[in-house]
Amino acid sequence: MDPPQPPKAAAAAAATTTGSTTLLSHLISVDAALSEYFHSTLKPFLPHFLLFLLELSADFRLFFPISLSLLLAPNSSTSLFLLRRPFLSSLLLGLLLDLVLIALIKLLFRRSRPVYNKNMNAAVSVDHYSFPSGHASRVFFVASIAHFFADDEANLLNLAVWVWAVLTSLSRVFLGRHFVFDVFAGASLGVLEALFAFRFLRFYL
């Protein structure tokens, strides 16, 4: 006796799930191939010291203490201190928020880092998970929050911060630390964090 056939709705759902899984697998494969291409093609022609310097400049363990020191440092100009306090306070709280969100998302997805750079040769120690890029989220958060707080006189400095953010994010792929989509997701998260910090955190500081 043949087993009962599944309902049409269940069959359709199973087909949709299979199709979604196939599409996701294809996108992951394309992401991995594109990332390896950029890594193998461009890294040999880029100054290694520059890539490592970019990596180090965006590390949380370096960036957070410096920002905290700037916030706590005495300043003879009261007006300057009041102008800088909302920015630095939002920056510090946003960096902590970014640290927590990146850790949670990485534990949720557990995507392994690229296999073609096993030794890593990292300027700073790294964790085992790739998605999303914490460096990309951090630098785009910093660039975005600086952009939101900047006035017309800081256009050149603001441009320099954006260039640093873009180069640091690209270096994650060139160094083989992350895949392209890891960096894109991290950068997008950083911009959203900056919007949250600018619109909400600064009103409570």
Side-chain angles (χ1 to χ4, degrees), residues 58-132:
D59 185 68
F60 180 87
R61 288 162 295 184
L62 175 69
F63 205 89
F64 187 84
I66 292 177
S67 302
L68 183 61
S69 299
L70 290 174
L71 176 64
L72 298 179
N75 195 297
S76 58
S77 174
T78 305
S79 60
L80 178 60
F81 177 79
L82 290 176
L83 286 174
R84 119 189 134 173
R85 181 178 179 84
F87 167 69
L88 288 175
S89 299
S90 299
L91 175 67
L92 289 169
L93 291 177
L95 287 172
L96 290 173
L97 174 65
D98 175 74
L99 184 68
V100 172
L101 289 178
I102 289 295
L104 290 176
I105 297 173
K106 283 188 173 184
L107 287 175
L108 178 63
F109 286 92
R110 297 176 180 269
R111 186 184 191 185
S112 299
R113 289 182 182 271
V115 297
Y116 43 81
N117 192 8
K118 294 180 180 180
N119 294 328
M120 295 302 288
N121 297 321
V124 293
S125 60
V126 294
D127 56 62
H128 298 291
Y129 301 126
S130 183
F131 179 85

Side-chain angles (χ1 to χ4, degrees), residues 53-60 62-63 134-135 138-139 164 168:
L53 183 62
L54 289 171
E55 180 175 60
L56 185 61
S57 70
D59 185 68
F60 180 87
L62 175 69
F63 205 89
H135 274 69
R138 194 172 305 118
V139 295
W164 165 72
T168 301

